[in-house]
Amino acid sequence: MTPRHRLIVLCVLAFAAAAQAHAVNATARADATVHRTFLLGRSVDGHTITAVEMGDPDTQRKTLVVGCIHGNERAGIAIAKRLISTGLPSETDLWIVTNLNPDGAAAVTCGNAHGVDLNRNFRWNWQRLSGTYYSGPRPLSEPETRIAYRLIEHVRPSVSIWFHQHLDLVDDSTGNRSLEQRFARTSGLRLAPLTPEPGSAVTWETHRFPHASSFVVELPARALAPAAVTRFARAVRITAMVALR
């Protein structure tokens, strides 16, 4: 082999090694996972509201879980906490808001510290409502609602699951029916339609992102036993994985 041929071979080998290293680094970056907490803002009474992101931030298929929006419907908080403490399959990106209404949860009231039902305070089809479902003076009047609004606009989740109580069902009103069926089957709840409410989170999300899927899960009226928390957390993980296909 002449010196010139030897130089060509060495250059080819060096290029191949560099390309392989680049591919390995690119794969490592693509497969990198995160587990990080973001401070989203504060409630009317100054309680912090956070979101935890878990999984692969590079994937386009993202899932949002909100454990509590009505302060007297707190069972979903345990599911959100279980998800945070449990590992996820690869290629998923899960965003978890454990409690969007900490003031209401502390007072065990439906609304926030202003008495506003946050699930009637979103923009789409907002109406002036009073009483238990007081919708506030205007859409997005509450800091908690604005926090959720900004997060959803930023993340643009493919799937959003909002936990409520006390009807023991998965709502069949908005969202991808096959995902809702899978969640209902895995969790042991029935699938049934609820009347769409004005100014609700899921109706706004469905209008804003028509190709995504946002739905309500109505948990039982009581606090969840540990086995039930595990079952619902598993339903979330399976739904997130099914949404990837």
Side-chain angles (χ1 to χ4, degrees), residues 42-148:
R42 294 183 180 273
S43 66
V44 172
D45 282 346
H47 291 103
T48 59
I49 298 175
T50 61
V52 174
E53 182 190 12
M54 300 172 56
D56 180 4
D58 293 327
T59 181
Q60 297 300 308
R61 305 287 289 180
K62 301 176 184 295
T63 299
L64 170 68
V65 174
V66 179
C68 175
I69 185 172
H70 286 153
N72 57 352
E73 301 174 6
R74 298 170 295 173
I77 293 175
I79 301 169
K81 289 180 177 179
R82 178 66 60 84
L83 288 167
I84 291 171
S85 65
T86 306
L88 287 173
S90 60
E91 304 303 324
T92 63
D93 191 35
L94 181 62
W95 287 77
I96 305 166
V97 178
T98 303
N99 189 357
L100 185 62
N101 187 5
D103 299 348
V108 196
T109 58
C110 176
N112 68 352
H114 287 157
V116 175
D117 181 346
L118 302 177
N119 203 39
R120 303 292 186 275
N121 193 238
F122 285 83
R123 280 181 168 174
W124 180 245
N125 197 29
W126 179 86
Q127 298 177 19
R128 293 187 182 277
L129 303 173
S130 58
T132 302
Y133 305 109
Y134 172 49
S135 56
R138 62 190 178 279
L140 300 180
S141 63
E142 306 310 298
E144 299 91 343
T145 316
R146 292 193 297 271
I147 284 170

